[in-house]
Amino acid sequence: MRYLVISDIHANRAALETVLRDAAPFDMIWCLGDLVGYGPDPNECVARIQDFEHLCVAGNHDWAALGLLTLDDFNTEARMAHLWTREELTPVSREYLETLPTRLEQGEFTLVHGSPREPIWEYVLDLGSALLSFSYFSTPYCLVGHTHLPLMFVLDENQGRPCAMIPEVGVPVPLRRHRMILNPGSVGQPRDGDPRASYAILDTDAMTWELRRVSYPIEITQERMRARGLPRRLIARLEVGR
Ligand code: ZN
């Protein structure tokens, strides 16, 4: 099976469409949460993913849009974007988001948004949080999003500690040797200084993980955000990828 693994779409339809085209052909989508929040097209992104065979877990922004999290924990711009998103979401979109689980296990893979310890909020950003995370899932691999940074943590069982690496774009990394935590980066709001949409192809026949980046028409998303009165800082950050 060839899985398109995406995360943190953040209602950026132009980015999502570009990724769907660039990644084809694939058998199934695994989405690691935050379909909505920040961007201008929440309903369109929720509808689009349902055109494909897919599995999706809930992210903190999905929960915030549903009113399941207090907005006090978000910064001002995120809060403004959420208030807009809450108004904008149709009952059908809300219903879909409400069904999303926080954690899924599929064969050798555990899927969560944040971390396997705290799927909605915790970031797996450094070696400390990665080491802790390895004891909260029992499958060989855990797929996470939330940080908007493409990254992998590899556990060397002999040494008992993980190392971090950023996979080279377009080069399939073989799985099988060690347990890993894999993050495909963000489709709709990358934060590693590269504004291109980030995603991964997981090939479970070859057992490889391939990080991909693709340019999308950022100006279309920015224009749509402007038209909806979304915060200027959120519009500007898309072109710098921060
Ligand atoms: Zn996110």
Side-chain angles (χ1 to χ4, degrees):
M1 287 276 276
R2 194 177 150 86
Y3 296 90
L4 164 58
V5 184
I6 55 175
S7 191
D8 300 278
I9 294 88
H10 285 294
N12 186 339
R13 185 184 184 174
L16 177 60
E17 291 296 345
T18 303
V19 164
L20 290 169
R21 268 195 307 277
D22 193 61
F26 50 85
D27 301 304
M28 191 171 179
I29 297 175
W30 280 354
C31 175
L32 305 174
D34 279 6
L35 265 170
V36 304
Y38 294 136
D41 309 305
N43 294 309
E44 292 83 348
C45 289
V46 167
R48 188 66 173 122
I49 197 166
Q50 294 175 76
D51 289 340
F52 298 86
E53 194 177 341
H54 76 285
L55 289 174
C56 186
V57 291
N60 56 318
H61 284 260
D62 304 317
W63 274 25
L66 292 172
L68 297 175
L69 292 179
T70 158
L71 295 184
D72 298 346
D73 293 332
F74 291 87
N75 64 38
T76 310
E77 285 99 356
R79 215 160 38 230
M80 285 167 69
H82 273 305
L83 291 172
W84 178 84
T85 303
R86 279 183 186 179
E87 291 284 307
E88 184 74 7
L89 277 184
T90 62
V92 175
S93 298
R94 290 183 63 89
E95 210 172 293
Y96 172 83
L97 294 174
E98 278 164 1
T99 64
L100 298 180
T102 56
R103 178 188 183 111
L104 284 170
E105 271 185 34
Q106 291 291 303
E108 295 180 284
F109 299 86
T110 298
L111 284 62
V112 292
H113 177 64
S115 81
R117 190 171 74 128
E118 174 43 70
I120 292 293
W121 264 116
E122 189 175 55
Y123 292 89
V124 185
L125 254 181
D126 52 29
L127 296 178
S129 51
L131 180 59
L132 195 58
S133 294
F134 274 107
S135 49
Y136 284 85
F137 64 99
S138 53
T139 55
Y141 311 101
C142 183
L143 309 184
V144 303
H146 194 37
T147 63
H148 297 212
L149 304 171
L151 200 58
M152 56 200 298
F153 294 95
V154 183
L155 182 65
D156 185 330
E157 268 104 0
N158 295 327
Q159 305 217 8
R161 55 180 176 177
C163 66
M165 55 184 269
I166 301 171
E168 207 176 316
V169 174
V171 178
V173 177
L175 306 180
R176 284 273 180 248
R177 291 219 308 275
H178 299 289
R179 295 183 77 212
M180 294 185 190
I181 297 171
L182 302 159
N183 189 325
S186 167
V187 168
Q189 198 198 76
R191 291 182 192 158
D192 60 347
D194 180 345
R196 293 178 299 168
S198 185
Y199 69 95
I201 295 290
L202 169 66
D203 184 329
T204 53
D205 298 319
M207 278 312 271
T208 54
W209 172 265
E210 180 185 341
L211 178 68
R212 300 264 195 94
R213 300 304 285 258
V214 60
S215 300
Y216 72 94
I218 293 173
E219 66 287 353
I220 291 180
T221 302
Q222 290 179 314
E223 193 43 53
R224 291 175 65 77
M225 290 174 80
R226 259 180 233 116
R228 284 154 179 71
L230 287 163
R232 256 191 271 168
R233 198 180 75 86
L234 296 180
I235 299 171
R237 74 187 299 182
L238 290 179
E239 66 200 48
V240 289
R242 291 277 180 211

